[in-house]
Amino acid sequence: MSREWISEGLYEGWRQELRVDRLLARTKSAFQDIAVFENVDLGRVLMLDGVVQITERDEFVYQEMLTHVPLLEHGDAKRVLIIGAGDGGVLRRVLEHNTVEKAVMVEIDGEVIELSKKFLPSIAGDAWNDPRAEVIVGDGIEYVTNAADGAFDVIIVDSTDPIGVGEVLFTDSFYKHCARILSANGIIVNQCGVPFMQADELRDTSARRAQFFAHVSAYVAAVPTYVGGFMTLGVAAKGAVPGRQPVDVIRARAEKAGIGAACRYWTPEMHVASFVLPPYIAKNLPR
């Protein structure tokens, strides 16, 4: 029996195909095309506008590194803002930190949230019902623009690449407001693409944020379905330089927050090592 294959057009001369063993949902929301399907190798897969966002098989790599690294770099994050991340995975990982008092998640596309709740329940777990969570279906740009000065300790931006609905999350105005609403030691992180093929994302994002943050850096994670090598996670800080904490400090912070035992990728050692960048990536950071 023949099955449909979905083609992900990654770059001009490079694409990957995923077999659809069972189509669970395919719809066009007010913002984007959404598909959820099962694949024999990856489990359930979420695609937006034909681009893989998350899979059950490897979501732990991206979610753990996008969340645990900035929170533990900060060391005392109590108020966290999440922009995007409609599958709920980042919210789940943030709330695993028992030191977090409030997590606000702002996702522009309510369809992504509802389909994730229905077809990808393992991604978010019980995070949707955590009393510390506030989930808002709305415009992240508008939320950041109107938020109070110093309202958050960490901002995590889990967006698509800077095209379409995600483009406005990579602007000077957005980063200026993010810096304003972060506390004195605040940190912001977001995905900056696969620099082997998308070096401009890391380079341009880092240059923009350097206008508003004292320290701009990046770290890496190997996410199998984000093909092309390392995924970079760009980080900017108002306080301490990211990536300078020793392993024993990160371990102590993780133990205090209750993080570690359930992780499948993040460890204190991986945390520290992820900031060691090969030259082809490091050259795209501000000097």
Side-chain angles (χ1 to χ4, degrees):
M1 182 178 69
S2 63
R3 292 185 175 92
E4 178 187 3
W5 288 75
I6 287 184
S7 179
E8 180 183 12
L10 296 164
Y11 313 108
E12 183 179 355
W14 186 356
R15 64 178 57 238
Q16 69 170 335
E17 289 191 319
L18 284 77
R19 193 176 73 193
V20 179
D21 293 307
R22 182 186 175 203
L23 183 64
L24 301 172
R26 199 165 198 174
T27 186
K28 185 173 180 62
S29 73
F31 301 96
Q32 55 205 336
D33 292 307
I34 307 170
V36 185
F37 60 92
E38 291 180 350
N39 174 274
V40 65
D41 295 312
L42 302 173
R44 294 189 173 187
V45 179
L46 170 67
M47 295 185 80
L48 300 179
D49 286 336
V51 178
V52 172
Q53 302 301 308
I54 214 78
T55 82
E56 287 183 320
R57 179 78 183 276
D58 67 2
E59 59 87 20
F60 68 94
V61 181
Y62 181 68
Q63 312 277 29
E64 288 178 11
M65 292 299 284
L66 186 63
T67 301
H68 298 329
V69 173
L71 266 66
L72 295 172
E73 280 292 316
H74 185 283
D76 190 33
K78 293 181 172 59
R79 301 157 297 162
V80 180
L81 173 63
I82 305 163
I83 304 293
D87 54 75
V90 172
L91 182 64
R92 170 188 166 191
R93 280 359 186 265
V94 167
L95 295 171
E96 286 176 354
H97 291 249
N98 56 37
T99 48
V100 169
E101 297 174 355
K102 183 73 173 179
V104 178
M105 173 183 152
V106 184
E107 163 62 55
I108 197 168
D109 196 339
E111 285 287 328
V112 174
I113 295 176
E114 293 309 311
L115 289 172
S116 296
K117 286 181 176 179
K118 183 174 182 179
F119 296 112
L120 297 163
S122 66
I123 302 293
D126 295 328
W128 303 117
N129 302 314
D130 193 299
R132 296 172 294 162
E134 179 182 358
V135 178
I136 299 169
V137 176
D139 186 343
I141 302 296
E142 182 179 345
Y143 186 91
V144 167
T145 301
N146 295 325
D149 293 0
F152 296 96
D153 301 309
V154 172
I155 298 175
I156 300 172
V157 183
D158 182 17
S159 70
T160 58
D161 287 329
I163 54 175
V165 71
E167 185 173 5
V168 291
L169 299 176
F170 291 79
T171 64
D172 287 356
S173 176
F174 177 70
Y175 293 128
K176 181 178 181 179
H177 280 294
C178 284
R180 177 184 60 79
I181 69 172
L182 280 168
S183 56
N185 293 314
I187 293 178
I188 180 173
V189 65
N190 69 297
Q191 68 88 5
C192 289
V194 177
F196 186 77
M197 295 296 292
Q198 300 167 298
D200 56 324
E201 286 193 25
L202 177 61
R203 183 172 57 250
D204 294 349
T205 297
S206 299
R208 290 182 186 280
R209 294 201 294 202
Q211 301 173 81
F212 312 110
F213 290 87
H215 307 293
V216 175
S217 186
Y219 59 100
V220 295
V223 186
T225 49
Y226 300 161
V227 301
F230 284 121
M231 161 70 68
T232 50
L233 301 167
V235 60
K238 296 172 72 173
V241 180
R244 299 286 181 85
Q245 298 295 337
V247 169
D248 59 341
V249 170
I250 297 299
R251 181 178 291 107
R253 291 177 177 179
E255 289 174 354
K256 180 181 178 182
I259 298 302
C263 292
R264 298 172 60 201
Y265 188 94
W266 182 93
T267 66
E269 291 79 11
M270 286 296 295
H271 179 124
V272 172
S274 69
F275 283 91
V276 180
L277 305 177
Y280 85 90
I281 297 178
K283 72 177 184 179
N284 297 294
L285 295 173
R287 299 189 182 278

